[in-house]
Amino acid sequence: MTYYLLMPDNVLVAFDGSPLSEGALRYAIETFPDASITAIYVIDPIDSVIDVEAGGLPVAEGWYENAKEEATRIHTTATDLAAERDTELVTVTEVGTPARAILEYADDHDVDQIVMGSHGRSGIDRALLGSVAETVTRRARIPVTIVS
């Protein structure tokens, strides 16, 4: 019996600027050199609630603009990392619950492989030991590679 390994055409990398997400992006670039690679960053409105609780009304008024600026910085990091490896990278920003946004993007854009770090950079996600990665792995209809 012969088995064939099909390499993905469209790879989605969850990228939040953390060292593990950088490792996930490097992994995707090196492992799937012929694939189209997209880095996704998700703005989570729940983070804004936490920021508002800590910072009050002034933080509440500018949370979305601040989140978009952070997304731009994170996308620049991802693009620079890909450019160092002579790889073109598409970047996208979604708003919502991270696991749900990643899964919906993958379903809507013919993604056939997801690559992500075992946990992100926010303290809450770390405390839950990668709840986003766990949820994506359990619910995805396509292969998911977790980099740790």
Side-chain angles (χ1 to χ4, degrees):
M1 182 177 273
T2 303
Y3 294 95
Y4 295 96
L5 178 63
L6 297 176
M7 296 301 274
D9 292 322
N10 297 306
V11 176
L12 182 64
V13 179
F15 193 86
D16 64 3
S18 68
L20 284 176
S21 70
E22 290 182 12
L25 181 56
R26 281 192 293 277
Y27 174 88
I29 290 168
E30 293 165 8
T31 306
F32 310 115
D34 297 326
S36 172
I37 299 177
T38 301
I40 185 171
Y41 176 73
V42 181
I43 296 173
D44 187 353
I46 297 299
D47 290 341
S48 70
V49 173
I50 295 167
D51 291 344
V52 168
E53 289 294 321
L57 189 58
V59 173
E61 292 173 353
W63 82 267
Y64 186 64
E65 282 69 32
N66 292 338
K68 288 193 308 187
E69 288 174 13
E70 178 71 3
T72 299
R73 284 191 296 276
I74 287 170
H75 287 318
T76 299
T77 300
T79 302
D80 291 348
L81 198 150
E84 290 171 7
R85 288 157 177 79
D86 295 323
T87 300
E88 287 188 32
L89 181 71
V90 174
T91 59
V92 297
T93 302
E94 296 290 327
V95 177
T97 305
R100 178 175 286 162
I102 291 165
L103 292 165
E104 286 177 1
Y105 186 90
D107 286 344
D108 293 344
H109 293 88
D110 296 321
V111 170
D112 38 35
Q113 176 80 38
I114 298 171
V115 179
M116 59 192 310
S118 59
H119 56 270
R121 63 186 170 95
S122 79
I124 291 173
D125 286 341
R126 280 186 170 246
L128 298 175
L129 195 56
S131 62
V132 174
E134 180 181 350
T135 300
V136 169
T137 301
R138 277 205 237 153
R139 295 185 182 168
R141 297 180 192 154
I142 56 175
V144 177
T145 301
I146 302 296
V147 176
S148 59

